[in-house]
Amino acid sequence: MNVTNGNKTTSCQDETVCTLQIYPRLSVKPGQSCILRVPKEATAATVIKTALATLGLDTSKTYVLVEVQEYGGEEWVLHASDQPVQRVLLWPRKAQDKHPQSDGYFFALQEGSYDGSIQYDVMTSVRQEKVAQGLANRGFVTQQPQEYDDLCNLPELTEESILGTLRHRFHKQKIYTFASNILIAVNPFKFLPIYNPRYVKMYENHTLGKLEPHVFAIADAAFHTMLNKQVNQCIVISGESGSGKTQSTNFLIHCLTALSQKGYTSGVERTILGAGPVLEAFGNAKTAHNNNSSRFGKFIQVNYLESGVVRGAVVEKYLLEKCRLVSRGKTERNYHVFYYLLIGASEEEKDEFKLLHPEQYHYLKEEIPIAEDQAEMKHEFRRLDQAMEMVGFLPSTKKQIFSVLSAILYLGNVTYQPKDVGEGLKVGPDRVLYAISDLLKVKVELLVEALTTRKAMTANDTLILPYSLNEAITARDSMAKSLYSALFDWIVLRINHALLNKRDLEESVPRLSIGVLDIFGFEDFKMNSFEQFCINYANEQLQYYCNQRIFTLEQEEYRAEGITWHNIDYPDNIGCISLFSKKPTGLFYLLDEESNFPRATDSTLLEKFKQQHQDNPFFVQTPVREPAFVIQHFAGKVKYQIKDFREKNTDHMRPDIVALLRSSECSYLRQLIGANPVAVFRWGILRATIRTLAVFNEAGRSWAEKHPDQVRRYSRRSLGEKRRPSTVVERLKSQGSLIDFSFDRSEESPLEMLLNVIVLFSVQNLIDSHSLKFIMNLTQHNRATRSLLHLHTKKKPPSISAQFQASLSKLLETLRKAEPFFVRCIRSNGDKREMHFDDALVLQQLRYTGMLQTVRIRRSGYGAKFTFKEFTDQFRVLLPKEISTPQQDITNLLTKMGLPRSSFQIGRTKVFLKESERQILQEALHKEVMRRIIILQRWFRACLMRKQYLREREGIITIQRSWRYLRETYRCRAAIVIQTAWRISKERAEYLKQREKLKKNAFSRPVVSKCFSCNDLPLLLSFISLFGPKASGSHSNFPHVKSSATFPGPRRNPTIKISRATRVQEKWNASLDREITDSNELRHLDEFLGNQMNDLSTRTKELSETEKVFFLATTQFRDTIKSMYSISNPNIGYKTLMSGYQTRVSSLAGLKKASEVPLVVNLFQSVLDGFIRGELKRLEAEPCKPDSQLGHLFSTYQVTIMQSCDQCSSFIWGMEKAFMCSSCKMVCHKKCLSKITVNCTGHCDRKKDGEQTLHFGVPVCALVRTADSVPFVMEKMLVHVEMNGLYTEGIYRKSGSVCRAKELHHLLEKSPQAVSFDNYPIHTITGLVKQWLRELPDPLMTYSLYNDFLYAADLPEESERLRAVYRRLDELPPPNFSTLERLIFHLVKVAKEEAHNRMSVNALAIVFAPCILRCPDSSDPLLSMKDINKTTLCVEILINEQTRRYNQKMEEIQQLENAEAMAVKQLKLRRQNTIFERPKLGSDVSSVDGANLEIEKNLLERIKSIKKEKNDLAFRLPEFDQDSSDAENMDSESLVSSDSLLEDHCVSLDSEGHHTSQVHLPQTRMDIS
């Protein structure tokens, strides 16, 4: 290590050690740099420690290592565990090898903050701005102007203020600015990381102007305006060349497809996004003003269903600049695709397409790509290849396209020399000619003839005339341009065919569209020709359209409505447009006239221009001898060179070239130059059919020759049979319908039948070609040049300028039918420098676009317009009930709301509002609607409470009445009992007196004593015991004596039996106190019950009524157990299971078999007790699933536009694979996944330890331990309802007691584990289930996906609808997904008991749709009311589909159970036979045992596989598996018997020689089970 001053290089000395250069930001040692050699795995803490020791700094202070990316304006403070060397690998290659401070990428060492905090992302410009703001506040510098994101809010509206605002925002890297609803975009000539998917999500469904200006805001506004108004929209992007129109178009298309991806899975979005790179590669090139200049215009019209789901698109192209192919300026390049192919192709592809280096081609020699661009071009070639696959180009098609491109480049290398003898030219070199011939599949002789001679038609003959040198070069270049133009047209046609939706062919299907216009910008080069002439005319028309929409129509509407308005003048360019297109003296018409004259030249054309328009102010005269003219455009004066105007206006493909290309053996090349794609398509099918017929005929003939004995001879046909259609095609014509086509196998050979099939499908394809016709009609102006390819046409084809005018007129007509949004692109500087703002250039663009006048009219005008009917319909809630005079009522409303009088005006038929006032009115409407909704809810709740109160009061009165009656009855009974007892006591006392007297008399009289002898003593004792005061040593009472005397005879002593039953019942109840906390225990219980049922069914032939009820109830109970397999951490008590079983038995038995209920329940309880005792001996634990990474849900993401990684901030290039979180829209590289330290912000904040106490009103992700688990409270309530409430009528329709619900709610919040649901009615618990769902901050189906589910439910076809809904489910966060999966499965089980609970699927969807799929609080409540049907349909789709899959899986489980039972029975019988059958003497005992063991082993493996498949299927019962397959079917079977068999098998394998004990053991276990 050493310390040096200045900049040093850094390099990796070996594979493990690298060199880092550290720059201290300290006042102690400024300017020093520290060079360290550290290992690659060194952390930032290690580097800091080494640097401190090297620099000799104070180690007691806190230091941090900062990664500085100055060009990106970012500084990243590295954590102690970060690896600096890994950060270096993410820098540009140049900065990796050398990172001096001047390069902008380096590491800095600085002291940490006093509070220990770490600033993760600090913008250098922001810090400098804060310092400047502090100086301004203290008066040292002038105050910076206030920033405005909308030019209409400027306090002083001048050109200087507009320019200053744009400059101020540009330097802060804010390139977008609003002018009301017009977006101004200043091209920074660098990529800014503000186009990731999270920005699309940020601007989704937000009012224009609420967030920072962005191109995504315009896309979102156009999309939602189209949906709300059901009117087509268009986005017009204007600006001069180099202002960033193409990039803006890409961003808009990216956002529009992202907004419309609402579940439609046809791949249209992928095709749209893939079409962009393809069209850019073939139609864009590097110019003096722009590195990616569009050399053609395109209008992309994205078609939507009325629900907002994209269903197709159409791409229209305008005027491809063909001359760029053969000549261009010195600082410009040819089309991108040539450089991509030459540099990016592999060695095999270069050999296949005969590719050379770029400098070896004449068409590319003007500009050779520099070495720094080659790596980028290799990447662009891979991107192009992937984009062509997305569009639908097959590998063979791509090879054919590349072959044509290579042939076009070789055409430029064709050279001409005069022949030594005679007239004509000699063409060469030979290797070039043979390369072209091989690539185009044409003969060399025909190629040479087409390049050197031409045919002239006379009245009697055809003359072949040789070309002159200039004519030959022109013919060669014309062939190259014609080929490239035909190739480009074919690519556009294929893209349109791939984007076509079959519903577009149906005129009855309504559709909406958003068009994005990306047309060539205004151009003014040093040498301007015919292409710039047409391009600038198109920009004049576009500027006129903008002026019409912004100024003319707006002000005419104000005047027609009679409101107060002062006209605003604006630059009108109608005079310049008339100069071009006015009949008959317009420049275009004069050009066509001169093009038709055989002897006309460019000079005569220029003279005619000057003669006709010498007095026109827009036509500027030039010196007499200068072959040029000047036109005063709206953007300034442009000088056009008149050279080649006539030739380019009639640039047709020559007949000789057409004949040459049509002779090609390559069918693809013939398609390119075909006059009519539909005819080419049909002819291709017919040719393929004929060739197929010939091949099959030849194959049949050769087979017949080889097998003459097998050839079937046909009898001669009668005359009637001969009159039948003999050929396949004739029979097809005679058929009434192709659908009813059938084969007569009695009269046809197999070969003829196969030919029938081939021709049938060929004819069907011919009939289906109307889709190609539909595309041709949509883009007819793009194919106008195809008429030039007819060799024998008599009608003269239209000129290039006439075609261009026609296509432009159709474009403007399309734009006028749609509501426009405008994006004004501004070029920041003329040198393509990054983040450089040229005031003069920007001001010039602002002036000629009329930006000052635009802002003024937007500021003074009214952005919101409503007819009286529209206003009253939309804001009726705010207006009086009776509207007599709309004008006065609306005026009163707006005045009452306190809106300034200048912010609105009432016209004759319309209301005019400023945009800000419209938003205020909309917010007032929202508040009023919400207030009324709350009032309705309050009254509805009051009515419910009143109804409940009356019902409860009536119940209380009934109870009180009954209590009073009962109390009086008890009093009467008590009085009678007391009186009876009193009388008895009196009689008793009287009796005792009499008895005493009797005793005295008896003892006093000796005569009486003599009457009793010794033999009479027992009788006396019995009498005393009976009537005496004491009996059997205890006091006796009268009722007891009466009871004993009432039932004479011997009494049964039930003490022994009753006491035993009591002890057994107590033991059962003790075992039922156990809770199930492992899902495996549920599986074991299911298998145990299945085993018992199998044994019972095999032992008895006929089942009793009790056994029938037991079988049916246990079968349904097992289905319930199977549905709980997927619960990872269940918490279910056996008492709950027993209670649910008893409810099920009572429901199944009914009134007729009510006496069977106790017997069935006791039988099941005894079985359950046996299982519990066995289960306690073998507990198994299953590990929990690992937790999700910080709550993110990453999936593969296809990048279509350049983006930046949110983790490392490096670029993600187009067509690369990245990972995106579907919740927070975070995008990162695959290598950055493990480095993410930021929690997902999409649905819940970071969970803190010890704060998980609440269970209601908390995000789902904060209530679960793992991503795939269900919140404890929700799971507990659902399980209780499934065990005890499935047979309750109106289980989710009726509401429970509010007081009990509040009580249970409080207990669940406090301690949910200790709550017992047995003390609460089932409706109270179901009400809490709905309350838990309603109180979620973000519903289960999430606010962010609300519109996605609505669009999916609104798809027309059921299969698409179902597929779309399940695709949206995959985007839910894992906790939401798991909870929704569990809830839908619960609803499936509720719906299956519809016969008892009266809850159908539709009723459940109506109840739960507002709970799990509710609209965001910010949405319009009036509009959300219309979505109730869609949300209900969406939930109903889920329940129905899951029910179907549940039934399907249960059927498969039952089949597997039957199969396992048969296998177990077979194994049991085999072992029983093994016990009793002894091998005969002399037989091979070992061979018999081996065969038996092999059979048993196979049976055991079969049982094991069935068990595994059954268990897997049962575990997956609740899953949202969209694509189920037979391979995933599972079931469950009896565990005890099969497990015992497996155990016995192991015993038998371990101990050989103990055969008898091995066999007797399973029989014992079987009997026990």
Side-chain angles (χ1 to χ4, degrees), residues 1178-1356:
R1178 46 169 191 176
L1179 294 176
E1180 296 180 358
E1182 187 177 88
C1184 298
K1185 296 181 180 180
D1187 198 358
S1188 177
Q1189 269 291 341
L1190 302 174
H1192 293 285
L1193 182 61
F1194 284 105
S1195 58
T1196 307
Y1197 170 61
Q1198 177 73 59
V1199 178
T1200 56
I1201 59 174
M1202 185 185 295
Q1203 298 177 2
S1204 61
C1205 177
D1206 291 330
Q1207 174 62 21
C1208 64
S1209 296
S1210 58
F1211 292 157
I1212 304 176
W1213 299 95
M1215 296 301 160
E1216 283 188 2
K1217 295 287 186 181
F1219 285 84
M1220 180 178 68
C1221 174
S1222 62
S1223 176
C1224 63
K1225 302 301 180 184
M1226 182 180 186
V1227 176
C1228 65
H1229 296 98
K1230 182 179 181 180
K1231 61 183 179 182
C1232 298
L1233 287 175
S1234 59
K1235 304 177 184 178
I1236 295 175
T1237 58
V1238 181
N1239 285 65
C1240 181
T1241 59
H1243 296 279
C1244 63
D1245 298 327
R1246 182 176 297 179
K1247 293 182 287 187
K1248 299 181 180 179
D1249 296 333
E1251 291 191 0
Q1252 197 168 332
T1253 57
L1254 299 178
H1255 297 272
F1256 286 79
V1258 182
V1260 181
C1261 56
L1263 294 174
V1264 295
R1265 297 179 181 178
T1266 58
D1268 56 350
S1269 60
V1270 181
F1272 174 78
V1273 171
M1274 189 63 176
E1275 181 63 44
K1276 186 172 184 178
M1277 290 190 294
L1278 293 182
V1279 170
H1280 181 82
V1281 174
E1282 291 168 359
M1283 290 291 100
N1284 302 277
L1286 293 183
Y1287 295 92
T1288 305
E1289 184 175 353
I1291 177 174
Y1292 279 109
R1293 186 185 300 113
K1294 299 179 181 180
S1295 59
S1297 172
V1298 178
C1299 297
R1300 299 302 302 276
K1302 289 182 179 179
E1303 176 188 348
L1304 184 56
H1305 182 281
H1306 175 72
L1307 293 176
L1308 288 175
E1309 287 278 34
K1310 187 176 180 181
S1311 179
Q1313 290 81 3
V1315 176
S1316 176
F1317 290 144
D1318 296 334
N1319 301 326
Y1320 294 92
I1322 196 67
H1323 289 107
T1324 300
I1325 300 171
T1326 55
L1328 277 181
V1329 171
K1330 295 181 286 186
Q1331 182 179 351
W1332 187 89
L1333 293 170
R1334 286 194 301 265
E1335 290 183 359
L1336 287 177
D1338 197 10
L1340 282 185
M1341 299 175 79
T1342 67
Y1343 288 137
S1344 60
L1345 296 176
Y1346 175 76
N1347 291 327
D1348 300 18
F1349 282 111
L1350 292 189
Y1351 296 145
D1354 202 32
L1355 287 172

Side-chain angles (χ1 to χ4, degrees), residues 101-251:
Q101 197 168 4
S102 58
D103 284 350
Y105 290 85
F106 60 92
F107 288 106
L109 182 67
Q110 66 182 25
E111 293 185 14
S113 305
Y114 292 104
D115 57 356
S117 62
I118 297 178
Q119 296 180 351
Y120 183 68
D121 183 17
V122 181
M123 298 290 293
T124 306
S125 59
V126 175
R127 186 168 62 252
Q128 294 175 352
E129 181 184 349
K130 290 183 178 179
V131 175
Q133 185 66 30
L135 295 175
N137 294 337
R138 287 180 288 173
F140 291 104
V141 296
T142 58
Q143 183 74 26
Q144 292 291 334
Q146 183 180 356
E147 180 180 330
Y148 297 94
D149 58 4
D150 193 337
L151 298 180
C152 295
N153 297 331
L154 290 174
E156 183 181 1
L157 189 57
T158 60
E159 288 183 346
E160 290 74 15
S161 62
I162 294 176
L163 182 64
T165 301
L166 295 179
R167 184 196 313 113
H168 179 67
R169 292 179 59 81
F170 182 81
H171 289 319
K172 296 179 68 175
Q173 295 190 349
K174 297 181 179 181
I175 62 173
Y176 295 114
T177 308
F178 280 133
S180 184
N181 60 350
I182 299 175
L183 183 70
I184 302 172
V186 184
N187 189 4
F189 288 102
K190 69 171 291 187
F191 175 75
L192 299 179
I194 56 174
Y195 304 103
N196 285 12
R198 60 191 180 99
Y199 287 95
V200 178
K201 181 181 178 183
M202 181 191 305
Y203 283 91
E204 183 177 359
N205 204 10
H206 278 81
T207 305
L208 198 65
K210 278 195 172 183
L211 299 178
E212 188 74 17
H214 200 285
V215 69
F216 289 167
I218 293 292
D220 180 77
F223 181 73
H224 286 93
T225 302
M226 176 194 68
L227 294 182
N228 295 333
K229 294 186 177 181
Q230 295 291 300
V231 177
N232 294 342
Q233 307 291 312
C234 66
I235 303 175
V236 180
I237 307 173
S238 60
E240 63 181 41
S241 181
S243 58
K245 298 184 300 301
T246 300
Q247 283 300 325
S248 297
T249 302
N250 294 338
F251 295 147

Side-chain angles (χ1 to χ4, degrees), residues 1147 1285-1294 1323 1387 1389-1407:
S1147 176
L1286 293 183
Y1287 295 92
T1288 305
E1289 184 175 353
I1291 177 174
Y1292 279 109
R1293 186 185 300 113
K1294 299 179 181 180
H1323 289 107
L1387 298 181
K1389 292 196 283 186
V1390 173
K1392 285 183 67 63
E1393 304 298 337
E1394 180 185 355
H1396 299 90
N1397 55 40
R1398 308 299 182 191
M1399 294 298 297
S1400 63
V1401 173
N1402 181 259
L1404 290 171
I1406 292 174
V1407 171

Side-chain angles (χ1 to χ4, degrees), residues 217-441:
I218 293 292
D220 180 77
F223 181 73
H224 286 93
T225 302
M226 176 194 68
L227 294 182
N228 295 333
K229 294 186 177 181
Q230 295 291 300
V231 177
N232 294 342
Q233 307 291 312
C234 66
I235 303 175
V236 180
I237 307 173
S238 60
E240 63 181 41
S241 181
S243 58
K245 298 184 300 301
T246 300
Q247 283 300 325
S248 297
T249 302
N250 294 338
F251 295 147
L252 285 169
I253 295 298
H254 170 75
C255 185
L256 288 175
T257 51
L259 289 173
S260 63
Q261 285 177 352
K262 307 299 181 184
Y264 192 64
T265 56
S266 64
V268 179
E269 293 90 350
R270 280 175 46 86
T271 308
I272 294 174
L273 296 174
V278 175
L279 293 176
E280 283 187 23
F282 284 88
N284 288 26
K286 180 180 179 181
T287 65
H289 296 161
N290 191 358
N291 290 337
N292 189 30
S293 177
S294 296
R295 307 319 301 161
F296 72 105
K298 64 175 178 289
F299 181 68
I300 304 176
Q301 182 174 311
V302 185
N303 299 325
Y304 299 87
L305 296 174
E306 291 182 333
S307 60
V309 178
V310 63
R311 71 169 189 181
V314 177
V315 178
E316 301 182 24
K317 66 96 178 175
Y318 305 94
L319 192 68
L320 178 69
E321 186 185 21
K322 295 182 290 185
C323 66
R324 173 168 295 273
L325 190 70
V326 298
S327 64
R328 73 215 136 264
K330 293 182 179 180
T331 59
E332 298 184 356
R333 292 182 184 173
N334 212 318
Y335 290 105
H336 293 325
V337 66
F338 294 114
Y339 305 101
Y340 296 166
L341 177 62
L342 296 178
I343 297 176
S346 62
E347 294 299 329
E348 295 80 5
E349 291 173 329
K350 289 181 180 180
D351 294 340
E352 181 179 1
F353 305 131
K354 308 181 186 304
L355 300 179
L356 308 175
H357 293 288
E359 61 269 14
Q360 295 179 289
Y361 290 107
H362 173 73
Y363 285 161
L364 305 180
K365 69 179 182 181
E366 288 88 348
E367 174 75 16
I368 301 174
I370 57 177
E372 294 181 1
D373 288 346
Q374 293 194 6
E376 181 180 351
M377 288 184 178
K378 288 181 179 180
H379 169 77
E380 290 294 338
F381 180 74
R382 293 193 298 269
R383 180 188 177 208
L384 172 63
D385 186 71
Q386 190 170 357
M388 294 175 76
E389 289 183 2
M390 291 173 63
V391 172
F393 290 149
L394 298 175
S396 58
T397 305
K398 289 189 288 185
K399 289 183 179 181
Q400 292 168 341
I401 292 175
F402 295 151
S403 297
V404 174
L405 292 176
S406 179
I408 291 173
L409 291 177
Y410 270 107
L411 279 173
N413 291 353
V414 173
T415 58
Y416 294 95
Q417 293 179 355
K419 288 185 178 180
D420 299 333
V421 179
E423 297 181 354
L425 298 173
K426 185 168 58 176
V427 63
D430 292 340
R431 60 178 182 85
V432 173
L433 296 175
Y434 281 107
I436 298 174
S437 172
D438 186 51
L439 291 170
L440 297 182
K441 306 299 181 185

Side-chain angles (χ1 to χ4, degrees), residues 20-24 32-36 47 51 65 99 107-109:
L20 297 180
Q21 192 166 4
I22 313 298
Y23 292 87
Q32 275 192 336
S33 65
C34 175
I35 300 178
L36 306 177
V47 173
L65 191 65
H99 51 272
F107 288 106
L109 182 67

Side-chain angles (χ1 to χ4, degrees), residues 940-1049:
F940 184 72
R941 292 192 184 102
C943 292
L944 289 179
M945 294 302 296
R946 176 68 177 172
K947 187 177 180 180
Q948 183 178 357
Y949 163 72
L950 293 176
R951 187 168 58 251
E952 290 179 355
R953 189 182 71 169
E954 183 180 357
I956 291 172
I957 293 173
T958 303
I959 292 173
Q960 290 176 348
R961 185 188 305 115
S962 302
W963 170 248
R964 294 189 188 101
Y965 173 76
L966 188 62
R967 186 176 60 178
E968 292 298 327
T969 305
Y970 281 170
R971 282 184 178 181
C972 293
R973 290 181 180 178
I976 295 172
V977 171
I978 292 172
Q979 290 174 0
T980 304
W982 172 248
R983 294 188 184 101
I984 292 174
S985 64
K986 285 184 66 178
E987 294 293 333
R988 178 73 175 172
E990 186 66 26
Y991 162 75
L992 290 177
K993 287 181 181 182
Q994 295 294 332
R995 194 177 67 169
E996 289 296 331
K997 287 181 181 182
L998 182 61
K999 284 183 180 181
K1000 289 179 181 180
N1001 293 334
F1003 286 107
S1004 63
R1005 295 177 182 179
V1007 181
V1008 177
S1009 61
K1010 291 180 180 178
C1011 297
F1012 292 95
S1013 62
C1014 294
N1015 296 328
D1016 297 329
L1017 183 60
L1019 180 61
L1020 178 62
L1021 292 177
S1022 63
F1023 179 82
I1024 294 173
S1025 65
L1026 181 62
F1027 296 101
K1030 295 182 180 180
S1032 301
S1034 62
H1035 292 283
S1036 178
N1037 52 41
F1038 182 76
H1040 176 72
V1041 175
K1042 183 177 180 181
S1043 176
S1044 300
T1046 306
F1047 303 97

